[in-house]
Amino acid sequence: MDLGAITKYSALHAKPNGLILQYGTAGFRTKAEHLDHVMFRMGLLAVLRSKQTKSTIGVMVTASHNPEEDNGVKLVDPLGEMLAPSWEEHATCLANAEEQDMQRVLIDISEKEAVNLQQDAFVVIGRDTRPSSEKLSQSVIDGVTVLGGQFHDYGLLTTPQLHYMVYCRNTGGRYGKATIEGYYQKLSKAFVELTKQASCSGDEYRSLKIGESLNIGVVQTAYANGSSTRYLEEVMKVPVYCTKTGVKHLHHKAQEFDIGVYFEANGHGTALFSTAVEMKIKQSAEQLEDKKRKAAKMLENIIDLFNQAAGDAISDMLVIEAILALKGLTVQQWDALYTDLPNRQLKVQVADRRVISTTDAERQAVTPPGLQEAINDLVKKYKLSRAFVRPSGTEDVVRVYAEADSQESADHLAHEVSLAVFQLAGGIGERPQPGF
Ligand code: 16G
């Protein structure tokens, strides 16, 4: 490690004194103007992670759905997964180290993780369209190069595309080509193949009689509409599990099944197929008699169409489109399968959102005292109702969710719960007002 060069460059990406940030649900996120030092340091950390895993690591500069003036950064692990939890802690320590302690933290991480500093490192970088992203990704590059890492800057990419690139590069191109064309080719080829099979009836696909029965699970979060959960359990007869908000929690749970389908109400989700199932399907596609072979081929294309590296809205949309074509359903017919319960989401400003802690996959508030009891009493006033609150992992707010049998009831319940949060959890600014 060239400590002299690190000190020199670090001074060019100086940390504002006293600023404390946390590697949260989706990496670091805050106002873009506070992130220069974090970007530089995440470049350094990506190199250490790359050396340790002897693999390509991804760095994505984005704050996703946050306001434009925010930005953020997250690291992508070798198989396109989210960064391992122990490295999230290293990321937090490194980002928060004051200038004079930064080198020591860097050395501590290398020692703790037995990083061979002689090993080569390769980092791929992507960014979103925010005006601040280009400069911030340059700071990541500074961090990578000062530690002697090689890099490829993909420029503008969606986050799932960067996950795809990392996965491709670390699987020797077997999964696909690590280029933007490669990504589109992979999805479009699987889509075209799949829709060509529209002659094969949905029943063959449904039976999944490829070998013994598969262990299928659906994973949702507390935000999933109550009607969707009921439909899955009572009509589709599949087991449904609830995890904390954030792709990494759902992804982790979905990995427990032969086929794990996970989805968040805000659009993140995918279906994961275990390696054993994928192999079985591929073998069946070669061997079985005609009808079953067709069904296996179809499943093989569905697996290819889902971006296995991460939840990907583009690939999910194509899968839906293809399955609707195969089943001969219109979007309207699909939408009419069940009706969502009316619901409302609100935000409440509080002095410190960490005063709210939760349990039971964020469906129950543990602190502050009295808040859960207040929510329980409010929920009792409405039919088919449910409400919960949780501190956001990406914005400085508390989120409130309510659903009930009518929109008016859902709106009232959400408002009343907001008032309870405001009173019991240290609300600041104007009291929440009714009406939306
Ligand atoms: C991030 C997460 C998403 C989660 C959302 C919750 C990833 C890739 N994305 O966008 O899964 O639903 O944050 O935001 O992890 P919140 O904590 O502000 O409600």
Side-chain angles (χ1 to χ4, degrees):
M1 239 189 258
D2 181 349
L3 296 178
I6 295 172
T7 311
K8 196 174 122 205
Y9 272 84
S10 187
L12 299 175
H13 299 282
K15 173 182 179 296
N17 247 333
L19 179 69
I20 301 290
L21 298 168
Q22 173 105 24
Y23 195 100
T25 329
F28 292 104
R29 276 192 201 179
T30 187
K31 297 275 164 274
E33 72 226 46
H34 295 144
L35 279 168
D36 181 46
H37 69 292
V38 177
M39 297 292 167
F40 173 71
R41 294 172 186 203
M42 289 308 105
L44 299 175
L45 194 73
V47 170
L48 293 188
R49 183 69 172 149
S50 172
K51 286 176 187 285
Q52 188 214 29
T53 56
K54 302 186 175 60
S55 306
T56 296
I57 294 294
V59 180
M60 184 72 200
V61 176
T62 180
S64 180
H65 61 273
N66 278 43
E68 188 186 276
E69 61 274 19
D70 288 4
N71 217 320
V73 58
K74 54 189 163 190
L75 269 62
V76 179
D77 253 359
L79 292 181
E81 329 91 293
M82 308 278 164
L83 187 62
S86 57
W87 281 76
E88 287 189 4
E89 280 172 36
H90 298 327
T92 301
C93 286
L94 191 61
N96 293 328
E98 295 305 335
E99 215 49 45
Q100 66 277 10
D101 303 324
M102 212 273 286
Q103 285 190 9
R104 186 186 48 75
V105 173
L106 208 56
I107 292 167
D108 277 359
I109 297 171
S110 313
E111 286 177 0
K112 233 185 239 160
E113 297 291 346
V115 175
N116 173 5
L117 294 170
Q118 306 312 316
Q119 178 69 37
D120 288 343
F122 200 87
V123 177
V124 290
I125 300 155
R127 63 176 142 89
D128 72 13
T129 53
R130 285 182 162 73
S132 57
S133 293
E134 191 168 351
K135 188 157 177 287
L136 290 174
S137 64
Q138 193 52 52
S139 307
V140 174
I141 292 172
D142 281 0
V144 172
T145 44
V146 80
L147 261 189
Q150 305 279 313
F151 70 92
H152 179 80
D153 181 9
Y154 279 100
L156 289 181
L157 278 189
T158 68
T159 303
Q161 284 170 342
L162 184 74
H163 284 259
Y164 166 88
M165 301 304 175
V166 172
Y167 193 24
C168 288
R169 282 176 180 266
N170 289 321
T171 47
R174 278 193 306 283
Y175 184 64
K177 261 202 265 161
T179 60
I180 197 76
E181 289 78 17
Y183 168 85
Y184 287 119
Q185 269 161 13
K186 181 164 173 94
L187 293 191
S188 50
K189 182 165 172 281
F191 179 75
V192 168
E193 290 286 317
L194 195 53
T195 42
K196 259 201 240 154
Q197 290 161 328
S199 58
C200 185
S201 89
D203 286 347
E204 288 158 43
Y205 157 67
R206 260 181 82 86
S207 74
L208 269 172
K209 280 179 187 152
I210 301 157
E212 73 270 31
S213 64
L214 297 169
N215 170 19
I216 300 177
V218 175
V219 189
Q220 302 186 320
T221 71
Y223 290 106
N225 194 277
S227 286
S228 74
T229 313
R230 206 166 309 119
Y231 181 82
L232 285 162
E233 284 176 334
E234 291 172 14
V235 182
M236 303 285 292
K237 309 259 184 253
V238 286
V240 181
Y241 301 83
C242 186
T243 67
K244 286 181 6 182
T245 299
V247 168
K248 65 181 176 190
H249 301 294
L250 291 106
H251 194 93
H252 190 70
K253 183 73 193 170
Q255 282 172 325
E256 289 176 16
F257 306 94
D258 293 331
I259 302 180
V261 179
Y262 69 84
F263 219 80
E264 292 189 282
N266 58 14
H268 293 276
T270 193
L272 295 179
F273 295 78
S274 71
T275 317
V277 166
E278 199 178 330
M279 298 249 302
K280 181 166 283 195
I281 289 170
K282 291 211 153 116
Q283 279 164 10
S284 308
E286 303 306 321
Q287 291 161 9
L288 289 175
E289 74 210 52
D290 198 41
K291 243 183 172 181
K292 286 181 188 162
R293 196 184 65 225
K294 263 193 192 166
K297 194 82 202 141
M298 201 181 283
L299 275 172
E300 198 182 350
N301 286 322
I302 290 180
I303 296 175
D304 274 350
L305 195 45
F306 274 116
N307 182 345
Q308 293 286 293
D312 181 337
I314 297 177
S315 97
D316 289 349
M317 183 192 67
L318 292 175
V319 175
I320 298 290
E321 187 69 31
I323 290 178
L324 292 182
L326 290 169
K327 293 178 81 62
L329 283 177
T330 63
V331 171
Q332 288 76 10
Q333 286 167 324
W334 177 51
D335 188 44
L337 285 180
Y338 68 86
T339 308
D340 271 345
L341 279 172
N343 58 86
R344 175 67 63 193
Q345 278 196 58
L346 295 175
K347 300 179 195 184
V348 185
Q349 301 279 349
V350 296
D352 180 0
R353 68 193 198 278
R354 287 170 304 180
V355 299
I356 296 193
S357 60
T358 61
T359 184
D360 187 22
E362 301 176 323
R363 291 174 289 192
Q364 300 279 324
V366 178
T367 59
L371 180 58
Q372 188 56 47
E373 290 74 10
I375 296 174
N376 293 345
D377 288 344
L378 294 169
V379 165
K380 274 189 211 138
K381 292 168 44 182
Y382 301 93
K383 283 197 206 117
L384 295 177
S385 57
R386 189 167 74 87
F388 66 91
V389 302
R390 54 177 282 278
S392 158
T394 63
E395 281 181 86
D396 193 10
V397 293
V398 173
R399 296 200 195 283
V400 170
Y401 177 89
E403 66 184 32
D405 64 336
S406 71
Q407 190 60 54
E408 201 189 352
S409 298
D411 289 352
H412 274 133
L413 178 57
H415 175 60
E416 289 175 321
V417 172
S418 301
L419 285 175
V421 170
F422 191 84
Q423 280 153 11
L424 297 168
I428 52 170
E430 213 190 322
R431 274 166 65 86
Q433 298 297 312
F436 308 98

